[in-house]
mmCIF file of all heavy atoms in Angstrom:
data_model
loop_
_atom_site.group_PDB
_atom_site.id
_atom_site.type_symbol
_atom_site.label_atom_id
_atom_site.label_comp_id
_atom_site.label_asym_id
_atom_site.label_seq_id
_atom_site.Cartn_x
_atom_site.Cartn_y
_atom_site.Cartn_z
ATOM 1 N N ALA A 685 -6.101 15.724 -9.511
ATOM 2 C CA ALA A 685 -6.524 14.411 -10.010
ATOM 3 C C ALA A 685 -6.240 14.322 -11.508
ATOM 4 O O ALA A 685 -6.586 15.248 -12.268
ATOM 5 C CB ALA A 685 -8.043 14.257 -9.797
ATOM 6 N N VAL A 686 -5.542 13.237 -11.883
ATOM 7 C CA VAL A 686 -5.245 12.955 -13.295
ATOM 8 C C VAL A 686 -5.737 11.552 -13.577
ATOM 9 O O VAL A 686 -5.246 10.595 -12.968
ATOM 10 C CB VAL A 686 -3.760 13.130 -13.607
ATOM 11 C CG1 VAL A 686 -3.474 12.771 -15.063
ATOM 12 C CG2 VAL A 686 -3.274 14.528 -13.283
ATOM 13 N N ASP A 687 -6.686 11.435 -14.464
ATOM 14 C CA ASP A 687 -7.257 10.126 -14.769
ATOM 15 C C ASP A 687 -7.699 9.410 -13.533
ATOM 16 O O ASP A 687 -7.549 8.167 -13.415
ATOM 17 C CB ASP A 687 -6.308 9.287 -15.590
ATOM 18 C CG ASP A 687 -6.023 9.860 -16.974
ATOM 19 O OD1 ASP A 687 -6.887 10.592 -17.486
ATOM 20 O OD2 ASP A 687 -4.938 9.601 -17.504
ATOM 21 N N GLY A 688 -8.217 10.123 -12.539
ATOM 22 C CA GLY A 688 -8.747 9.545 -11.326
ATOM 23 C C GLY A 688 -7.764 9.384 -10.202
ATOM 24 O O GLY A 688 -8.138 9.236 -9.060
ATOM 25 N N GLY A 689 -6.439 9.474 -10.520
ATOM 26 C CA GLY A 689 -5.442 9.317 -9.474
ATOM 27 C C GLY A 689 -5.057 10.689 -8.922
ATOM 28 O O GLY A 689 -4.802 11.626 -9.683
ATOM 29 N N LYS A 690 -4.945 10.753 -7.592
ATOM 30 C CA LYS A 690 -4.699 12.105 -6.975
ATOM 31 C C LYS A 690 -3.243 12.200 -6.472
ATOM 32 O O LYS A 690 -2.660 11.238 -6.035
ATOM 33 C CB LYS A 690 -5.649 12.344 -5.778
ATOM 34 C CG LYS A 690 -7.088 12.472 -6.168
ATOM 35 C CD LYS A 690 -7.885 13.014 -4.979
ATOM 36 C CE LYS A 690 -9.360 12.991 -5.259
ATOM 37 N NZ LYS A 690 -9.919 11.601 -5.269
ATOM 38 N N SER A 691 -2.729 13.436 -6.547
ATOM 39 C CA SER A 691 -1.448 13.780 -5.963
ATOM 40 C C SER A 691 -1.628 15.056 -5.156
ATOM 41 O O SER A 691 -2.408 15.921 -5.513
ATOM 42 C CB SER A 691 -0.387 14.020 -7.045
ATOM 43 O OG SER A 691 -0.227 12.895 -7.888
ATOM 44 N N THR A 692 -0.899 15.127 -4.073
ATOM 45 C CA THR A 692 -0.960 16.349 -3.224
ATOM 46 C C THR A 692 0.110 17.318 -3.680
ATOM 47 O O THR A 692 1.283 16.996 -3.782
ATOM 48 C CB THR A 692 -0.708 15.990 -1.755
ATOM 49 O OG1 THR A 692 -1.731 15.114 -1.334
ATOM 50 C CG2 THR A 692 -0.751 17.223 -0.875
ATOM 51 N N LEU A 693 -0.284 18.561 -4.005
ATOM 52 C CA LEU A 693 0.644 19.551 -4.515
ATOM 53 C C LEU A 693 1.143 20.464 -3.393
ATOM 54 O O LEU A 693 2.286 20.936 -3.410
ATOM 55 C CB LEU A 693 -0.070 20.388 -5.578
ATOM 56 C CG LEU A 693 -0.565 19.598 -6.790
ATOM 57 C CD1 LEU A 693 -1.186 20.562 -7.791
ATOM 58 C CD2 LEU A 693 0.542 18.803 -7.448
ATOM 59 N N VAL A 694 0.317 20.761 -2.385
ATOM 60 C CA VAL A 694 0.693 21.568 -1.272
ATOM 61 C C VAL A 694 -0.270 21.269 -0.129
ATOM 62 O O VAL A 694 -1.451 21.008 -0.344
ATOM 63 C CB VAL A 694 0.668 23.088 -1.616
ATOM 64 C CG1 VAL A 694 -0.725 23.553 -2.074
ATOM 65 C CG2 VAL A 694 1.112 23.955 -0.431
ATOM 66 N N SER A 695 0.224 21.188 1.076
ATOM 67 C CA SER A 695 -0.624 20.839 2.211
ATOM 68 C C SER A 695 -0.138 21.575 3.481
ATOM 69 O O SER A 695 1.053 21.899 3.626
ATOM 70 C CB SER A 695 -0.656 19.341 2.482
ATOM 71 O OG SER A 695 0.591 18.851 2.909
ATOM 72 N N LYS A 696 -1.085 21.742 4.379
ATOM 73 C CA LYS A 696 -0.811 22.395 5.708
ATOM 74 C C LYS A 696 -1.712 21.782 6.738
ATOM 75 O O LYS A 696 -2.813 21.404 6.404
ATOM 76 C CB LYS A 696 -0.989 23.902 5.666
ATOM 77 C CG LYS A 696 -0.057 24.675 4.723
ATOM 78 C CD LYS A 696 -0.348 26.155 4.851
ATOM 79 C CE LYS A 696 0.601 26.951 3.948
ATOM 80 N NZ LYS A 696 0.342 28.406 4.022
ATOM 81 N N ALA A 697 -1.265 21.763 7.982
ATOM 82 C CA ALA A 697 -2.124 21.362 9.057
ATOM 83 C C ALA A 697 -3.239 22.431 9.252
ATOM 84 O O ALA A 697 -2.986 23.606 9.009
ATOM 85 C CB ALA A 697 -1.352 21.155 10.362
ATOM 86 N N GLY A 698 -4.405 21.953 9.620
ATOM 87 C CA GLY A 698 -5.494 22.969 9.871
ATOM 88 C C GLY A 698 -6.861 22.288 9.837
ATOM 89 O O GLY A 698 -6.988 21.196 9.265
ATOM 90 N N SER A 699 -7.818 22.968 10.392
ATOM 91 C CA SER A 699 -9.173 22.433 10.441
ATOM 92 C C SER A 699 -10.145 23.569 10.127
ATOM 93 O O SER A 699 -9.767 24.737 10.130
ATOM 94 C CB SER A 699 -9.501 21.792 11.792
ATOM 95 O OG SER A 699 -9.343 22.776 12.831
ATOM 96 N N VAL A 700 -11.437 23.200 9.899
ATOM 97 C CA VAL A 700 -12.440 24.215 9.691
ATOM 98 C C VAL A 700 -13.515 24.047 10.780
ATOM 99 O O VAL A 700 -13.745 22.959 11.276
ATOM 100 C CB VAL A 700 -13.102 24.072 8.283
ATOM 101 C CG1 VAL A 700 -12.054 24.297 7.215
ATOM 102 C CG2 VAL A 700 -13.771 22.766 8.113
ATOM 103 N N GLU A 701 -14.154 25.164 11.107
ATOM 104 C CA GLU A 701 -15.142 25.180 12.173
ATOM 105 C C GLU A 701 -16.532 24.945 11.591
ATOM 106 O O GLU A 701 -16.850 25.473 10.543
ATOM 107 C CB GLU A 701 -15.116 26.501 12.907
ATOM 108 C CG GLU A 701 -13.792 26.873 13.560
ATOM 109 C CD GLU A 701 -13.808 28.275 14.128
ATOM 110 O OE1 GLU A 701 -14.900 28.811 14.393
ATOM 111 O OE2 GLU A 701 -12.700 28.865 14.252
ATOM 112 N N THR A 702 -17.318 24.162 12.269
ATOM 113 C CA THR A 702 -18.703 23.980 11.889
ATOM 114 C C THR A 702 -19.504 25.246 12.077
ATOM 115 O O THR A 702 -19.385 25.885 13.127
ATOM 116 C CB THR A 702 -19.331 22.831 12.702
ATOM 117 O OG1 THR A 702 -18.549 21.635 12.452
ATOM 118 C CG2 THR A 702 -20.766 22.566 12.263
ATOM 119 N N GLY A 703 -20.286 25.607 11.070
ATOM 120 C CA GLY A 703 -21.167 26.784 11.205
ATOM 121 C C GLY A 703 -20.525 28.092 10.821
ATOM 122 O O GLY A 703 -21.250 29.099 10.759
ATOM 123 N N ARG A 704 -19.248 28.117 10.573
ATOM 124 C CA ARG A 704 -18.571 29.357 10.212
ATOM 125 C C ARG A 704 -18.478 29.481 8.696
ATOM 126 O O ARG A 704 -18.081 28.542 8.019
ATOM 127 C CB ARG A 704 -17.176 29.404 10.822
ATOM 128 C CG ARG A 704 -16.376 30.593 10.380
ATOM 129 C CD ARG A 704 -14.953 30.573 10.984
ATOM 130 N NE ARG A 704 -14.074 31.536 10.316
ATOM 131 C CZ ARG A 704 -12.772 31.600 10.495
ATOM 132 N NH1 ARG A 704 -12.191 30.765 11.327
ATOM 133 N NH2 ARG A 704 -12.074 32.490 9.816
ATOM 134 N N ALA A 705 -18.807 30.636 8.164
ATOM 135 C CA ALA A 705 -18.719 30.905 6.725
ATOM 136 C C ALA A 705 -17.301 31.339 6.350
ATOM 137 O O ALA A 705 -16.780 32.300 7.001
ATOM 138 C CB ALA A 705 -19.748 31.941 6.299
ATOM 139 N N TYR A 706 -16.695 30.697 5.416
ATOM 140 C CA TYR A 706 -15.327 31.030 4.992
ATOM 141 C C TYR A 706 -15.351 31.601 3.587
ATOM 142 O O TYR A 706 -16.083 31.142 2.722
ATOM 143 C CB TYR A 706 -14.429 29.756 4.983
ATOM 144 C CG TYR A 706 -14.101 29.193 6.306
ATOM 145 C CD1 TYR A 706 -14.972 28.314 6.975
ATOM 146 C CD2 TYR A 706 -12.889 29.508 6.968
ATOM 147 C CE1 TYR A 706 -14.673 27.779 8.202
ATOM 148 C CE2 TYR A 706 -12.574 28.987 8.164
ATOM 149 C CZ TYR A 706 -13.451 28.131 8.825
ATOM 150 O OH TYR A 706 -13.171 27.587 10.039
ATOM 151 N N ASP A 707 -14.574 32.660 3.373
ATOM 152 C CA ASP A 707 -14.427 33.232 2.034
ATOM 153 C C ASP A 707 -13.170 32.578 1.391
ATOM 154 O O ASP A 707 -12.091 32.631 1.938
ATOM 155 C CB ASP A 707 -14.201 34.757 2.115
ATOM 156 C CG ASP A 707 -15.509 35.464 2.344
ATOM 157 O OD1 ASP A 707 -16.413 35.263 1.568
ATOM 158 O OD2 ASP A 707 -15.561 36.258 3.321
ATOM 159 N N ILE A 708 -13.436 31.941 0.273
ATOM 160 C CA ILE A 708 -12.381 31.222 -0.446
ATOM 161 C C ILE A 708 -12.160 31.841 -1.793
ATOM 162 O O ILE A 708 -13.110 32.056 -2.561
ATOM 163 C CB ILE A 708 -12.787 29.744 -0.589
ATOM 164 C CG1 ILE A 708 -12.941 29.074 0.769
ATOM 165 C CG2 ILE A 708 -11.751 28.953 -1.416
ATOM 166 C CD1 ILE A 708 -13.660 27.788 0.763
ATOM 167 N N ASP A 709 -10.915 32.130 -2.125
ATOM 168 C CA ASP A 709 -10.565 32.728 -3.404
ATOM 169 C C ASP A 709 -9.410 31.927 -4.019
ATOM 170 O O ASP A 709 -8.406 31.632 -3.335
ATOM 171 C CB ASP A 709 -10.133 34.196 -3.235
ATOM 172 C CG ASP A 709 -11.356 35.032 -2.891
ATOM 173 O OD1 ASP A 709 -12.110 35.495 -3.751
ATOM 174 O OD2 ASP A 709 -11.593 35.272 -1.652
ATOM 175 N N VAL A 710 -9.527 31.642 -5.310
ATOM 176 C CA VAL A 710 -8.485 30.914 -6.029
ATOM 177 C C VAL A 710 -8.163 31.768 -7.268
ATOM 178 O O VAL A 710 -9.018 32.059 -8.065
ATOM 179 C CB VAL A 710 -8.985 29.514 -6.477
ATOM 180 C CG1 VAL A 710 -7.865 28.766 -7.221
ATOM 181 C CG2 VAL A 710 -9.408 28.712 -5.267
ATOM 182 N N LYS A 711 -6.867 32.085 -7.427
ATOM 183 C CA LYS A 711 -6.401 32.860 -8.539
ATOM 184 C C LYS A 711 -5.557 31.989 -9.434
ATOM 185 O O LYS A 711 -4.514 31.463 -8.992
ATOM 186 C CB LYS A 711 -5.580 34.074 -8.010
ATOM 187 C CG LYS A 711 -5.031 34.957 -9.110
ATOM 188 C CD LYS A 711 -4.224 36.150 -8.488
ATOM 189 C CE LYS A 711 -3.670 37.074 -9.571
ATOM 190 N NZ LYS A 711 -2.937 38.173 -8.973
ATOM 191 N N VAL A 712 -5.988 31.794 -10.669
ATOM 192 C CA VAL A 712 -5.305 30.947 -11.658
ATOM 193 C C VAL A 712 -4.717 31.830 -12.712
ATOM 194 O O VAL A 712 -5.432 32.537 -13.427
ATOM 195 C CB VAL A 712 -6.270 29.927 -12.276
ATOM 196 C CG1 VAL A 712 -5.515 29.026 -13.237
ATOM 197 C CG2 VAL A 712 -6.975 29.088 -11.206
ATOM 198 N N ARG A 713 -3.387 31.798 -12.868
ATOM 199 C CA ARG A 713 -2.683 32.576 -13.897
ATOM 200 C C ARG A 713 -1.638 31.619 -14.566
ATOM 201 O O ARG A 713 -0.684 31.249 -13.910
ATOM 202 C CB ARG A 713 -1.960 33.799 -13.335
ATOM 203 C CG ARG A 713 -2.907 34.840 -12.758
ATOM 204 C CD ARG A 713 -3.709 35.513 -13.865
ATOM 205 N NE ARG A 713 -4.564 36.597 -13.359
ATOM 206 C CZ ARG A 713 -5.786 36.437 -12.866
ATOM 207 N NH1 ARG A 713 -6.326 35.223 -12.789
ATOM 208 N NH2 ARG A 713 -6.447 37.459 -12.385
ATOM 209 N N GLY A 714 -1.899 31.343 -15.825
ATOM 210 C CA GLY A 714 -0.997 30.429 -16.477
ATOM 211 C C GLY A 714 -1.053 29.073 -15.776
ATOM 212 O O GLY A 714 -2.106 28.453 -15.649
ATOM 213 N N ARG A 715 0.082 28.634 -15.303
ATOM 214 C CA ARG A 715 0.140 27.403 -14.552
ATOM 215 C C ARG A 715 0.432 27.679 -13.076
ATOM 216 O O ARG A 715 0.784 26.756 -12.310
ATOM 217 C CB ARG A 715 1.140 26.414 -15.102
ATOM 218 C CG ARG A 715 0.808 26.083 -16.575
ATOM 219 C CD ARG A 715 1.466 24.764 -17.012
ATOM 220 N NE ARG A 715 0.896 23.610 -16.299
ATOM 221 C CZ ARG A 715 -0.223 23.008 -16.625
ATOM 222 N NH1 ARG A 715 -0.982 23.455 -17.655
ATOM 223 N NH2 ARG A 715 -0.646 21.954 -15.956
#
Side-chain angles (χ1 to χ4, degrees):
V686 178
D687 294 334
K690 293 192 189 72
S691 302
T692 300
L693 302 182
V694 59
S695 68
K696 294 182 181 181
S699 59
V700 300
E701 300 173 23
T702 301
R704 175 183 165 188
Y706 290 84
D707 283 306
I708 297 165
D709 291 275
V710 180
K711 181 179 181 179
V712 181
R713 294 293 184 273
R715 301 202 66 81

